[in-house]
Amino acid sequence: MNFELDQEHRQIRDTVANFAEREIKPHCAHWDKSGHFPRDVIEKIGALGFLGVSFPERFGGGGADTLAQALVVEGLSRFDASVGLTCAAHMSLSCGHIAGFASDEQRERYLPDMIAGKKLGAWCLTEPSSGSDAAAMRTRAVRDGDRYTISGSKMFITNGSVADVYVVTAVTDSSARRGGISAFIVDRGTPGLSNGRKIEKLGLRASDTAEVILDNVSIPAANLIGKAGEGYTQAMKVLEGGRIGIAGFAIGIARGAFEDAAAYAKERRQFGRPIADLQAIQWMLADMATRIEASWMLLYRAAALKDKGRPFGRQAAMAKLYASETAMWTTTKAVQIHGGYGYVTDFPMERYMRDAKLAEIGEGTSEVQRMIIAKSLLKEGYSAD
Ligand SMILES: Cc1cc2nc3c(=O)[nH]c(=O)nc-3n(C[C@H](O)[C@H](O)[C@H](O)COP(=O)(O)OP(=O)(O)OC[C@H]3O[C@@H](n4cnc5c(N)ncnc54)[C@H](O)[C@@H]3O)c2cc1C
């Protein structure tokens, strides 16, 4: 067991922090207010190698481990969770699906540009009537010779209106529920692929969330990922990895809220002394930092198991669940420590709180994480090995 970041991880953490301080921090409040999607910044993140940090070097990646990717997402989310989510969805979901399950030819075709930030990915599982119960999807893909025609609609898709590469799941055999779902790659510009209305959100307003409409979209059968019928299993595996990224996203938001709240508490004076001298405030800060550190420990463990090729679904769900609830709790307390200034948009506290809520919903709600954890515990029992 090693509880310290090694030299490589520290370097990644510090480089991301320097970048985010310089390129993101000065602008993120404005991006949030105006709903601006900072594509140029995402491209810079790609050019610096952050998007590919944990992907194989032969595709232009950095060849580092899962923790390295989580550090990137955490470091970006510390200042702007919208940028963090954009990158997390791109890396863990779209690139992750292609890297994990696509053919070598497909990987070589898509990953180098995606990793370099030249092409952005969207991962399309959720539909208007199927979220937690993803297997109830209605989008259909019908094979005709060497082509598939896909029809349906996908909901709440991160990067949905700005992506270049769409990974789309669809039913190819309606008699086989989970085993009848397949995954495909659809390129931007394919006739029939379009977006519905712009989705306005509580938080993460500088990230792109869109409905993706597939109206008789015809693609080559060669765009099928893996074999027909494997799409649901692939998607669940992709989500397992994605949850480590969302834990990093949540920790980044919580850390930002904690650091800003601690600094504010030292400056803000009431009753003739800094509010940081008050035990009520100290206890909030102590609980915040304890929860953040516990979230990191869960993340480290899930990431280490994944990199060893061992099952990590339960640990990833635990990390995601705990870090998400930590982010929501911590940001709420950070608003409290700021008093009225926490409630107004001059300070980033209310933004942190709005952004944190998504962590409890996206890539499986907290209820779904508890279902996954309980199912695994009841089947396999508990062991901390
Ligand atoms: C900003 C944003 C970005 C997103 N990005 C993506 C993306 O890139 N790609 C993508 O595919 N999806 C994306 N999603 C969709 C997201 O993953 C879903 O919203 C989420 O999985 C929940 O599905 P739902 O919204 O349909 O809620 P529902 O599944 O309808 O759930 C509603 C409520 O019921 C609870 N519930 C449901 N089933 C159970 C159960 N069996 N036991 C207990 N409680 C249950 C849920 O926990 C929740 O509280 C995004 C969503 C948002 C808001």
Side-chain angles (χ1 to χ4, degrees), residues 22 24 26 31 38 87-88 119 164 264 286 330 333 335 369 375 384:
R22 202 178 58 245
I24 295 177
W31 295 339
C87 296
K119 287 191 170 174
D164 304 286
Y264 183 81
T330 300
K333 293 298 178 198
V335 167
Q369 303 314 311
K375 194 173 163 194

Side-chain angles (χ1 to χ4, degrees), residues 240 311-319 372-373 376-377 380-384:
E240 282 184 0
F312 66 96
R314 183 206 304 168
Q315 288 77 11
M318 285 175 164
I372 293 168
I373 296 163
S376 150
L377 289 171
E380 295 144 28
Y382 178 74
S383 155

Side-chain angles (χ1 to χ4, degrees), residues 53-92:
V53 69
S54 68
F55 291 99
E57 286 164 1
R58 68 192 167 106
F59 301 124
D65 59 10
T66 303
L67 177 58
Q69 187 166 304
L71 285 167
V72 170
V73 175
E74 195 267 354
L76 297 171
S77 304
R78 188 268 173 253
F79 292 106
D80 190 345
S82 289
V83 172
L85 182 72
T86 300
C87 296
H90 172 79
M91 289 193 280
S92 312

Side-chain angles (χ1 to χ4, degrees), residues 47-320:
L48 286 167
F50 296 147
L51 293 178
V53 69
S54 68
F55 291 99
E57 286 164 1
R58 68 192 167 106
F59 301 124
D65 59 10
T66 303
L67 177 58
Q69 187 166 304
L71 285 167
V72 170
V73 175
E74 195 267 354
L76 297 171
S77 304
R78 188 268 173 253
F79 292 106
D80 190 345
S82 289
V83 172
L85 182 72
T86 300
C87 296
H90 172 79
M91 289 193 280
S92 312
L93 301 182
S94 319
C95 295
H97 201 138
I98 293 171
F101 301 101
S103 65
D104 272 348
E105 188 276 321
Q106 289 168 329
R107 288 178 187 152
E108 274 154 25
R109 184 145 46 104
Y110 288 101
L111 283 180
D113 280 352
M114 293 177 81
I115 280 171
K118 292 179 188 160
K119 287 191 170 174
L120 203 53
W123 192 75
C124 311
L125 178 73
T126 305
E127 300 191 356
S129 59
S130 64
S132 304
D133 184 11
M137 70 180 65
R138 292 182 182 168
T139 297
R140 295 275 180 276
V142 178
R143 184 157 187 164
D144 183 10
D146 61 357
R147 298 190 75 80
Y148 277 98
T149 302
I150 310 179
S151 291
S153 158
K154 297 289 178 176
M155 195 59 172
F156 303 137
I157 305 305
T158 301
N159 304 333
S161 76
V162 294
D164 304 286
V165 179
Y166 294 78
V167 174
V168 176
T169 45
V171 176
T172 44
D173 178 359
S174 52
S175 67
R177 201 166 146 87
R178 290 178 179 182
I181 291 170
S182 306
F184 302 89
I185 303 174
V186 180
D187 292 298
R188 181 178 194 80
T190 308
L193 180 73
S194 66
N195 295 116
R197 66 187 167 80
K198 180 174 165 52
I199 299 176
E200 297 289 351
K201 305 191 291 292
L202 172 72
L204 299 169
R205 291 175 42 75
S207 74
D208 179 74
T209 312
E211 183 177 6
V212 173
I213 297 166
L214 300 118
D215 181 11
N216 285 310
V217 170
S218 173
I219 55 163
N223 285 21
L224 174 70
I225 302 178
K227 295 200 183 87
E230 291 179 349
Y232 184 82
T233 311
Q234 292 171 2
M236 293 305 113
K237 288 271 168 222
V238 168
L239 280 174
E240 282 184 0
R243 284 173 188 141
I244 300 176
I246 294 296
F249 161 86
I251 293 171
I253 301 172
R255 182 164 66 86
F258 166 76
E259 286 174 358
D260 289 6
Y264 183 81
K266 286 194 228 168
E267 273 177 23
R268 176 70 174 172
R269 297 178 71 86
Q270 290 294 290
F271 299 98
R273 54 184 176 155
I275 60 169
D277 285 358
L278 305 170
Q279 195 178 51
I281 303 292
Q282 290 174 2
W283 285 14
M284 280 193 253
L285 293 171
D287 286 346
M288 285 175 174
T290 304
R291 290 187 189 205
I292 291 167
E293 188 142 338
S295 302
W296 267 125
M297 295 301 131
L298 289 168
L299 188 156
Y300 285 166
R301 180 157 154 75
L305 288 172
K306 179 173 185 279
D307 289 336
K308 282 185 187 142
R310 290 180 48 195
F312 66 96
R314 183 206 304 168
Q315 288 77 11
M318 285 175 164
K320 196 262 185 193

